[in-house]
Amino acid sequence: MAIERTFSIIKPDATARNLTGAVNAMIEKAGLRIVAQKRIRMSRAEAETFYAVHRERPFFGELVEFMISAPVVVQVLEGDNAVAKYREVMGATDPAKAEEGTIRKVHARSIGENTVHGSDAPETAVMEIAQFFSGNEIVG
Ligand code: GDP
């Protein structure tokens, strides 16, 4: 299986509750390696660009406000099949529908405040990583 990278965000609901370490423990336990990580305050422009695909959705404004409401931790995760594996570890978007033991089942508060982001495809991961990290910040 190919070693792959995915992009992750530990979202404001998690940093506000001091859950960065708890989320990272679940990521590492699943066999994914955190090869880049930084805590940032996302700007409105960055959040709007990042979620541009959802611009027409009714929750877009709420989503942007949430993402800039507190610090986030942006990360690059590496491992076999990292994109799909992290989606599994995260669980469904709506925590009520997430599998037991997933990050969102354990920690998320609602469909909006759902603790983590993970890329949905390898091509998206490349673009998302490039939005927040330069090459020399990623150390595999
Ligand atoms: P993901 O790939 O599982 O994160 O889900 P999506 O790409 O469908 O949605 C992106 C993000 O938008 C989600 O992680 C949520 O934070 C947010 N979101 C999705 N649906 C809703 C909704 O119905 N209400 C609100 N407030 N936020 C939502």
Side-chain angles (χ1 to χ4, degrees), residues 73-88:
V73 177
V74 290
Q75 306 176 307
V76 180
L77 310 182
E78 189 175 87
D80 285 336
N81 221 7
V83 171
K85 180 178 275 185
Y86 190 43
R87 298 287 304 187
E88 253 179 62

Side-chain angles (χ1 to χ4, degrees), residues 22-92:
V23 170
N24 278 349
M26 293 174 84
I27 289 170
E28 291 183 333
K29 190 161 183 231
L32 292 164
R33 190 171 287 273
I34 301 164
V35 294
Q37 172 170 264
K38 58 189 172 188
R39 180 174 167 105
I40 62 166
R41 190 78 187 225
M42 216 183 257
S43 69
R44 183 176 297 278
E46 281 174 328
E48 286 177 353
T49 300
F50 185 76
Y51 280 121
V53 66
H54 293 309
R55 196 173 285 278
E56 305 305 324
R57 308 280 284 275
F59 58 81
F60 180 71
E62 202 178 313
L63 175 58
V64 168
E65 292 303 327
F66 168 57
M67 292 303 288
I68 66 176
S69 66
V72 299
V73 177
V74 290
Q75 306 176 307
V76 180
L77 310 182
E78 189 175 87
D80 285 336
N81 221 7
V83 171
K85 180 178 275 185
Y86 190 43
R87 298 287 304 187
E88 253 179 62
V89 174
M90 286 163 50

Side-chain angles (χ1 to χ4, degrees), residues 87-108:
R87 298 287 304 187
E88 253 179 62
V89 174
M90 286 163 50
T93 309
D94 180 352
K97 297 182 182 151
E99 297 280 333
E100 291 299 329
T102 60
I103 294 171
R104 284 167 165 170
K105 184 68 176 188
V106 172
H107 292 298

